[in-house]
Amino acid sequence: MRQDNGTGDGPVRSADEVGSAAAERPDPWRRVVYWVALGLLVLLAVVALLTFEAARSTTQAQEKADQLVAALEDAGATPPSREQIVRVLGDDGGAACQDPGNALRKATLFSQLTNGASGPGVRPVLADSRVVQGELLIVEIYCPEELEDFQETVAGLELADVVVDG
């Protein structure tokens, strides 16, 4: 039963009418809070997944870097730091494993086996056999599926033992 309270604010409602009207009409802020909470939950789940993947990737990269350091030391080379290897090669070998036998990679390798001159003075040289051992070890550890193709590329090179250890 509605009555006018005399203040001009409209009819006076009973407690039952007020409770039922509130139950019928949800608070608009409640919906906003739910959506914000859901958005934050999804955001935290994405961050957790990315963090987990990065940690697993870092662990694999460190294990492979340790293998490479050991292999380089066994070959008599001075390896770079583990952190440098992890940064450059990651867990998949980076650029060293992106089709190491293709023409561009071969040209890059061959350009490093020259006398160091530029322009028309560039001449191929007999490089030391250890020059390609590091690359072979990287391919062997990080991308063994590419090793056979890269060995074929290197097999055609004339290498010699020209560096004398002092």
Side-chain angles (χ1 to χ4, degrees):
M1 168 173 169
R2 296 186 179 179
Q3 300 172 352
D4 189 6
N5 63 4
T7 61
D9 290 338
V12 175
R13 296 182 182 175
S14 68
D16 290 336
E17 290 176 333
V18 171
S20 65
E24 292 172 11
R25 185 173 29 101
D27 185 15
W29 286 107
R30 183 178 296 170
R31 185 172 294 169
V32 170
V33 169
Y34 288 151
W35 281 109
V36 168
L38 180 65
L40 287 174
L41 183 65
V42 169
L43 180 67
L44 288 174
V46 168
V47 168
L49 285 173
L50 292 175
T51 304
F52 175 74
E53 187 65 33
R56 187 174 70 198
S57 176
T58 301
T59 302
Q60 291 173 349
Q62 290 172 349
E63 289 172 0
K64 287 186 177 183
D66 289 338
Q67 289 176 0
L68 182 60
V69 166
L72 288 170
E73 287 174 347
D74 289 344
T78 304
S81 71
R82 175 181 168 194
E83 291 77 26
Q84 287 175 326
I85 295 172
V86 168
R87 214 172 320 128
V88 172
L89 298 176
D91 63 346
D92 62 353
C97 284
Q98 293 177 352
D99 195 13
N102 75 2
L104 180 59
R105 305 257 189 263
K106 286 180 189 178
T108 303
L109 174 64
F110 297 160
S111 71
Q112 294 174 359
L113 303 176
T114 63
N115 62 358
S118 63
V122 174
R123 301 285 186 267
V125 296
L126 282 177
D128 192 271
S129 58
R130 292 184 289 179
V131 170
V132 295
Q133 285 179 351
E135 182 81 18
L136 280 169
L137 290 173
I138 291 170
V139 172
E140 181 180 337
I141 292 170
Y142 285 90
C143 48
E145 67 278 357
E146 301 285 343
L147 183 60
E148 188 176 327
D149 290 338
F150 188 70
Q151 284 175 332
E152 289 174 9
T153 301
V154 174
L157 297 176
E158 273 191 59
L159 302 171
D161 294 327
V162 294
V163 176
V164 178
D165 291 329

